[in-house]
Amino acid sequence: MANSSLLGGENNPMASKQKKLELIEKTWGDCERCDLATGRKQVVFGKGNFESKLAIIGEAPGAQEDEEGKPFVGSSGVRFDELCEEAGLEPWDSYICNVIGCRPPNNRPPSDEEIEVCFGRITSLLGVMKPKALLLLGGTALRAMTGLSKITTYQGKELQASITWQGQVLTFAAVATFHPSYLLRNRGDKELENKVIRDIRLAHGLSKGSSWVEGD
Ligand code: URA
């Protein structure tokens, strides 16, 4: 007899992206793979348009995100939304999520172990969504998705990020930019803000170009 979770499953080419997203959220929603599960209120997934071609990836939920169950709803998210508007990126042009789904205590950066344990979640999200481009917000997202470190070296450059999903290597165009909380700490630094606006535009443009599957 057909199993309804398989019918809507991540592997089923007939299931809609929305159904597959729901399945990923169900699979990871009660995750206890690491100790962050004990301090979180809920696992935070994404917001925006999962059918779009641009995935924006931050670091980890903060207090407000943990409370509301949505990424980038706190003060750094508000600032980032303003810059997206200045860059001409509409809310339906992207889907925004984080490298890890649970809030670390005192908003400390996630450890390498926590990132590794949660990597299957972001891999599933990106594997199903199949964006053409990623915009990586800050050093943690840059390192997790590309293996590169030092945001100041790679900010604004056209990069590539690869994941292995269901045995296939998926490669995306990627752009790294400064994390919105860094922008908040440097509020009024026009040069910095203009760099971020340019990076948002670059990633948006790349999302309208092409992506490819290595080895095809
Ligand atoms: N809020 C998020 O959802 N992610 C961040 O990286 C920072 C704030």
Side-chain angles (χ1 to χ4, degrees), residues 112-145:
D112 286 349
E113 292 72 28
E114 288 158 355
I115 292 172
E116 201 181 316
V117 163
C118 211
F119 206 68
R121 190 192 62 99
I122 195 83
T123 296
S124 288
L125 287 171
L126 295 178
V128 171
M129 182 188 168
K130 293 197 175 53
K132 286 192 181 349
L134 312 181
L135 177 62
L136 307 172
L137 305 181
T140 299
L142 171 67
R143 195 160 45 83
M145 301 311 303

Side-chain angles (χ1 to χ4, degrees), residues 44-45 47 57-66 70-77 96-100 107 110 137-138 140-141 179-181:
V44 176
F45 291 91
K47 74 172 184 195
I57 305 178
E59 183 177 289
Q64 203 158 335
E65 287 80 14
D66 186 44
K70 294 251 172 295
F72 287 98
V73 288
S75 46
S76 64
I96 186 162
C97 55
N98 286 303
V99 168
I100 66 163
N107 297 338
L137 305 181
T140 299
H179 191 278
S181 57

Side-chain angles (χ1 to χ4, degrees), residues 25-46:
E25 292 183 351
K26 195 156 174 267
T27 305
W28 288 84
D30 55 2
C31 176
E32 293 188 342
R33 292 169 179 80
C34 79
D35 287 349
L36 294 182
T38 56
R40 68 152 194 253
K41 287 211 167 102
Q42 52 193 318
V43 180
V44 176
F45 291 91

Side-chain angles (χ1 to χ4, degrees), residues 9-213:
E10 235 178 89
N11 300 329
N12 183 346
M14 302 302 285
S16 71
K17 275 191 182 179
Q18 203 52 45
K19 274 264 163 287
K20 292 179 183 181
L21 175 60
E22 282 165 22
L23 186 75
I24 296 167
E25 292 183 351
K26 195 156 174 267
T27 305
W28 288 84
D30 55 2
C31 176
E32 293 188 342
R33 292 169 179 80
C34 79
D35 287 349
L36 294 182
T38 56
R40 68 152 194 253
K41 287 211 167 102
Q42 52 193 318
V43 180
V44 176
F45 291 91
K47 74 172 184 195
N49 183 3
F50 195 62
E51 304 273 342
S52 71
K53 292 294 164 198
L54 176 62
I56 303 178
I57 305 178
E59 183 177 289
Q64 203 158 335
E65 287 80 14
D66 186 44
E67 195 64 49
E68 292 186 33
K70 294 251 172 295
F72 287 98
V73 288
S75 46
S76 64
V78 171
R79 186 68 194 121
F80 184 63
D81 285 349
E82 288 167 357
L83 294 183
C84 286
E85 198 179 329
E86 277 195 57
L89 188 78
E90 305 287 356
W92 54 84
D93 287 331
S94 70
Y95 176 80
I96 186 162
C97 55
N98 286 303
V99 168
I100 66 163
C102 297
R103 182 192 180 203
N106 304 317
N107 297 338
R108 64 157 170 75
S111 68
D112 286 349
E113 292 72 28
E114 288 158 355
I115 292 172
E116 201 181 316
V117 163
C118 211
F119 206 68
R121 190 192 62 99
I122 195 83
T123 296
S124 288
L125 287 171
L126 295 178
V128 171
M129 182 188 168
K130 293 197 175 53
K132 286 192 181 349
L134 312 181
L135 177 62
L136 307 172
L137 305 181
T140 299
L142 171 67
R143 195 160 45 83
M145 301 311 303
T146 66
L148 301 168
S149 42
K150 236 175 184 299
I151 188 75
T152 44
T153 305
Y154 294 104
Q155 173 272 325
K157 304 216 161 82
E158 283 185 42
L159 308 169
Q160 279 187 6
S162 297
I163 57 165
T164 303
W165 182 73
Q166 295 186 340
Q168 273 194 318
V169 178
L170 305 182
T171 301
F172 313 103
V175 178
T177 198
F178 300 107
H179 191 278
S181 57
Y182 181 70
L183 294 175
L184 272 190
R185 291 198 297 277
N186 292 279
R187 216 185 165 101
D189 184 335
K190 260 282 145 220
E191 197 183 331
L192 188 67
E193 290 175 354
N194 285 338
K195 283 184 183 169
V196 174
I197 290 169
R198 184 189 165 275
D199 295 340
I200 295 169
R201 288 196 177 126
L202 176 60
H204 189 199
L206 289 170
S207 76
K208 297 182 199 159
S210 56
S211 75
W212 58 97
V213 176

